[in-house]
Amino acid sequence: MEKERLLDTEFPFILPSSSPNMAREGNFKTEPHSQPPSSSSNQQEAGEHLRSWSLEKLLRKLKATETDLDDKFTSILNSLGHFGTFQQKLVALTLLPNLLSAFFMFADIFVFTVPKPYCNTSWILAVGPNLTEAEQLNLTLPRDTNGSFLTCLMYVPVTWDLDDIIQFGLNYTQSCSNGWIYPESKRRSVINEFDLVCGEELNREAVHTTILAGLLIGSLTFGFISDKLGRYTSILLSILGLMIFGFGTAFVGNLNQYLFFRFGVSQALVGFSINSVSLASEWLVGEHRAHAIILGQCFYPLGIMLLTALAYSVPHWRLLFLLGGSLVFSLIFYICILPESPRWLMMKGQVEEAKRVLCFAARENKKNIPLSLLGKLHAPGKKATKASVLDFYNNRQLRKVILAIGCVGFTAGHSYFTLSLKMRDFDMNLYISQMVSAMMELPARLGSIFLFEQFGRKWTLAVILLQGTFMNFLVLNFPSDLKSVVVLMVFVGRFSLSAWIAGFFTYTAELLPTVLRTTGLGLGILAWASGAILSITLINQSLTPLSSSLCLISTICSLSLCYMLPETYGQPLVDSLEHYCLHPRTMSDDLDDDLTADHALCDVTTEVAKNTILNVTMNLNPRPLNNTSLKAEEKFKGRRVTEGPR
């Protein structure tokens, strides 16, 4: 009776003849409600609108029910155990590479330290071999007005003996002709290794841009490879790239080779990042998915701490890369123990392989998967598995998602790098500033776990992004003479954006379907790298007002687009574009005024919904049936009579 009352309330055009019992018996008779003679055309239009609105609600309920029933992987993964031995090993496999990723990503900060150069004047040792280094510099280098030696000039060599040089001195100067020495530097960096001084200086922004360009290219390349060849293959290729380019950086012979290897290692880094996130999200369920991804992100600041400690202790930049690169070879065993994603295997039609991987995980967790659940796994249709990067444009809902992800990623990348570059203006100790920043980022990423579970993904990320970009806007427009206040705002801004980065991977992975998950993550990182490159360009050109205006505009656009994104907390992952279109509340949360109607529909069974849709379709489209339609209707009625009541 309660169901009939709800149906009468929600659907006034459905008579009791469409009740559950009668619907099961195939009774589809309906009678139109009597209209008083005084009913106007406006009332008729309102009734038609009500019918259309109610039918749309019922269709959405039916689609949501079918989507829940089709999410077989959630049931299978639940039977494996939410976070058993297998899942724990899987998460552990992603932690060490994340540590190394931070090591290689930020190594340039320490290997490009600028020592004070002096011209190499060893020619004077031919006439005075017993001269000390201080005496040699005093006789052969000119001094500035403040008494310090000039760094890029030397006295012209002469053929006098040492006594004449000491007595009369040297007067004519020239540029350095025999290279440079670095007597005040106790460390060997890329600068004094390749003599990048006195007109040969390397623009530090060029190095950052090279790495970010590698991230940009790698995000596209590895995103495409992963969706086509699998997470397992892509991760192994990323590790191979780290071995070749990370360890190989220690053996480069010139600056161009160094930049090439740094470009290659940045591609490998982003490849592992997006694939490890996809693999963890497709194996884990519920809150464990976010916990694992954010925990992996927490190893980035730990990697920065390790890098800072080693850079402070190791006196040579080549030795630094040797130590970090040697750790990569410990990842060779991934070939034997790294699992493939069962969701990806299913979407590629490899059903038996997916079952084998799931059974292996069950044995690791000492669990049993019911055969009834494994029997439900079957290869999806070609339409479900067919996907390409063009679907981000052709699919209307997916286009909105990737547009919002791209805009938000661009804003965060621009703000994060602007704050990082502003740190150079404060002349802080390099090792202290990096260690403090890393120590602040660690609790920021850990704290995001609590925020995402208490307040959901979407609005938590929106508020964090707003706070971080607001700090960036203040830093760009605040008086620079208040150094302590600006430094505090920089740290607060980086604290917020670090928490945002940790949640960005989780939220993006949950938004995207399996067939395009890594491609979408790659496009998000591409937008992030684009914002970072633009930030470097604007700051380098001293275009602070333009950077400030861009920060404000992109923040407004990002928050506006975030409104269109759905909340993914507690929702199952989407595998195909077909299911993606059926995702409940796909594009916005503009259904608050319909909550009562949705609750009323909760008691409507799938069978009643199907019969009701047929009734409404027949009433709303009263047209003569052709022979094909008549045969289909007779076949349907005959089948329903044969089946009888259930």
Side-chain angles (χ1 to χ4, degrees):
M1 292 299 294
E2 180 65 19
K3 293 182 179 179
E4 294 179 6
R5 185 186 65 79
L6 289 173
L7 284 172
D8 288 338
T9 304
E10 180 68 17
F11 304 100
F13 52 87
I14 302 177
L15 291 180
S17 59
S18 296
S19 62
N21 293 333
M22 298 184 69
R24 293 190 181 97
E25 295 172 4
N27 296 327
F28 302 100
K29 297 180 181 180
T30 58
E31 297 181 6
H33 286 287
S34 60
Q35 296 284 346
S38 60
S39 296
S40 63
S41 60
N42 292 336
Q43 292 174 331
Q44 294 176 357
E45 292 177 0
E48 292 295 330
H49 176 72
L50 180 61
R51 292 186 181 94
S52 176
W53 176 84
S54 302
L55 180 60
E56 180 183 354
K57 286 291 184 181
L58 195 58
L59 282 169
R60 185 167 65 244
K61 173 61 181 178
L62 178 60
K63 291 178 179 179
T65 303
E66 291 176 350
T67 301
D68 293 337
L69 292 175
D70 289 340
D71 188 24
K72 307 176 186 66
F73 266 107
T74 300
S75 300
I76 294 177
L77 294 177
N78 284 333
S79 66
L80 291 177
H82 285 183
F83 200 66
T85 303
F86 177 83
Q87 289 91 336
Q88 293 171 11
K89 290 181 179 179
L90 177 65
V91 174
L93 291 176
T94 65
L95 300 183
L96 179 59
N98 283 335
L99 194 74
L100 297 177
S101 296
F103 184 94
F104 288 117
M105 186 72 181
F106 298 96
D108 293 317
I109 298 175
F110 302 99
V111 303
F112 276 94
T113 54
V114 182
K116 194 171 184 179
Y118 298 103
C119 294
N120 182 9
T121 57
S122 58
W123 62 269
I124 199 173
L125 295 179
V127 295
N130 296 324
L131 290 174
T132 63
E133 185 178 57
E135 292 173 338
Q136 175 187 344
L137 297 178
N138 188 54
L139 292 174
T140 58
L141 295 181
R143 292 181 180 271
D144 199 355
T145 54
N146 58 7
S148 61
F149 292 115
L150 295 176
T151 57
C152 297
L153 290 177
M154 59 179 286
Y155 287 118
V156 177
V158 295
T159 57
W160 304 347
D161 56 28
L162 183 59
D163 293 334
D164 291 338
I165 294 175
I166 296 175
Q167 181 178 359
F168 299 104
L170 302 175
N171 297 320
Y172 299 102
T173 60
Q174 67 175 25
S175 299
C176 302
S177 57
N178 298 317
W180 293 265
I181 60 174
Y182 307 89
E184 299 177 5
S185 177
K186 298 180 180 179
R187 299 179 181 276
R188 195 69 174 171
S189 69
V190 175
I191 299 295
N192 52 22
E193 177 83 12
F194 302 127
D195 290 331
L196 303 176
V197 294
C198 297
E200 300 294 332
E201 292 89 354
L202 175 68
N203 191 346
R204 294 283 295 274
E205 282 69 26
V207 180
H208 294 316
T209 304
T210 300
I211 295 177
L212 291 172
L215 294 180
L216 192 148
I217 301 299
S219 62
L220 292 177
T221 303
F222 280 94
F224 177 80
I225 290 175
S226 179
D227 283 332
K228 294 299 181 183
L229 303 181
R231 298 9 174 173
Y232 173 80
T233 302
S234 187
I235 288 178
L236 292 184
L237 289 175
S238 301
I239 294 175
L240 179 62
L242 287 177
M243 292 178 183
I244 295 174
F245 295 105
F247 187 75
T249 305
F251 302 97
V252 297
N254 54 57
L255 180 63
N256 291 332
Q257 292 179 9
Y258 178 87
L259 294 178
F260 174 75
F261 274 74
R262 296 297 290 155
F263 177 80
V265 78
S266 62
Q267 294 189 61
L269 293 177
V270 71
F272 181 84
S273 296
I274 61 178
N275 283 284
S276 61
V277 168
S278 297
L279 188 65
S281 64
E282 290 164 4
W283 266 109
L284 301 174
V285 294
E287 70 278 4
H288 300 290
R289 182 188 304 135
H291 293 175
I293 295 175
I294 295 176
L295 181 62
Q297 295 295 312
C298 290
F299 270 68
Y300 279 97
L302 289 177
I304 296 176
M305 295 180 191
L306 174 64
L307 172 64
T308 305
L310 285 177
Y312 184 78
S313 304
V314 176
H316 203 295
W317 70 274
R318 292 185 185 273
L319 182 58
L320 183 65
F321 278 106
L322 284 174
L323 291 175
S326 61
L327 295 176
V328 181
F329 290 94
S330 63
L331 306 180
I332 295 178
F333 67 92
Y334 276 39
I335 299 175
C336 303
I337 64 175
L338 191 71
E340 181 57 272
S341 166
R343 287 184 179 269
W344 180 86
L345 290 171
M346 284 298 303
M347 295 311 298
K348 292 300 178 180
Q350 303 179 31
V351 182
E352 296 303 320
E353 182 66 16
K355 292 180 180 180
R356 187 188 68 81
V357 173
L358 289 170
C359 291
F360 173 78
R363 288 195 300 270
E364 285 282 321
N365 289 344
K366 299 180 180 179
K367 300 284 185 178
N368 293 319
I369 303 177
L371 293 178
S372 59
L373 290 179
L374 285 178
K376 293 180 181 180
L377 294 180
H378 59 275
K382 293 183 178 180
K383 185 177 180 181
T385 60
K386 186 178 180 181
S388 69
V389 69
L390 295 178
D391 288 307
F392 286 110
Y393 174 78
N394 297 328
N395 188 301
R396 178 173 175 269
Q397 297 175 359
L398 201 58
R399 184 169 65 247
K400 291 181 179 179
V401 168
I402 203 63
L403 179 63
I405 290 174
C407 187
V408 171
F410 177 88
T411 304
H414 181 271
S415 299
Y416 186 84
F417 263 77
T418 300
L419 293 173
S420 299
L421 293 174
K422 291 296 289 184
M423 289 291 294
R424 300 178 308 175
D425 300 337
F426 305 130
D427 297 327
M428 298 179 61
N429 183 277
L430 177 63
Y431 301 96
I432 295 177
S433 63
Q434 291 300 318
M435 186 64 74
V436 171
S437 297
M439 292 175 66
M440 291 185 63
E441 289 187 10
L442 184 59
R445 296 173 190 249
L446 286 174
S448 62
I449 297 177
F450 171 79
L451 296 176
F452 293 148
E453 291 185 353
Q454 293 296 320
F455 306 104
R457 274 52 160 165
K458 179 170 72 170
W459 295 117
T460 300
L461 285 175
V463 172
I464 293 176
L465 180 65
L466 178 61
Q467 180 181 351
T469 53
F470 179 68
M471 289 294 107
N472 178 36
F473 182 79
L474 289 181
V475 168
L476 292 175
N477 295 276
F478 210 77
S480 57
D481 52 345
L482 299 176
K483 179 179 176 180
S484 58
V485 178
V486 177
V487 170
L488 178 61
M489 289 191 294
V490 168
F491 279 118
V492 172
R494 291 191 61 176
F495 181 90
S496 300
L497 293 175
S498 297
W500 180 91
I501 292 173
F504 173 76
F505 283 96
T506 304
Y507 188 44
T508 304
E510 293 176 345
L511 279 173
L512 297 168
T514 299
V515 290
L516 290 174
R517 180 162 290 119
T518 54
T519 302
L521 279 168
L523 291 176
I525 296 179
L526 183 149
W528 185 87
S530 301
I533 292 174
L534 184 58
S535 171
I536 292 174
T537 303
L538 295 178
I539 297 299
N540 188 39
Q541 299 296 327
S542 300
L543 298 176
T544 302
L546 182 58
S547 178
S548 178
S549 301
L550 182 63
C551 173
L552 181 62
I553 295 173
S554 61
T555 301
I556 295 174
C557 294
S558 299
L559 295 178
S560 301
L561 292 172
C562 278
Y563 180 77
M564 298 192 306
L565 296 178
E567 177 57 58
T568 60
Y569 180 68
Q571 298 292 333
L573 288 181
V574 181
D575 288 325
S576 66
L577 295 180
E578 181 182 7
H579 286 80
Y580 186 86
C581 297
L582 299 178
H583 198 280
R585 296 176 69 122
T586 47
M587 283 291 60
S588 67
D589 293 332
D590 57 350
L591 305 176
D592 292 339
D593 55 337
D594 300 336
L595 288 178
T596 305
D598 285 341
H599 287 304
L601 284 171
C602 290
D603 291 332
V604 180
T605 64
T606 304
E607 195 67 35
V608 173
K610 291 180 179 178
N611 289 322
T612 303
I613 292 171
L614 180 61
N615 275 343
V616 176
T617 304
M618 294 175 63
N619 285 332
L620 293 180
N621 299 280
R623 61 180 184 276
L625 300 176
N626 54 28
N627 293 334
T628 304
S629 301
L630 288 172
K631 291 179 181 180
E633 182 180 1
E634 291 174 359
K635 183 178 179 181
F636 179 79
K637 289 182 178 180
R639 180 172 61 84
R640 301 299 299 164
V641 172
T642 303
E643 292 178 356
R646 297 181 181 178

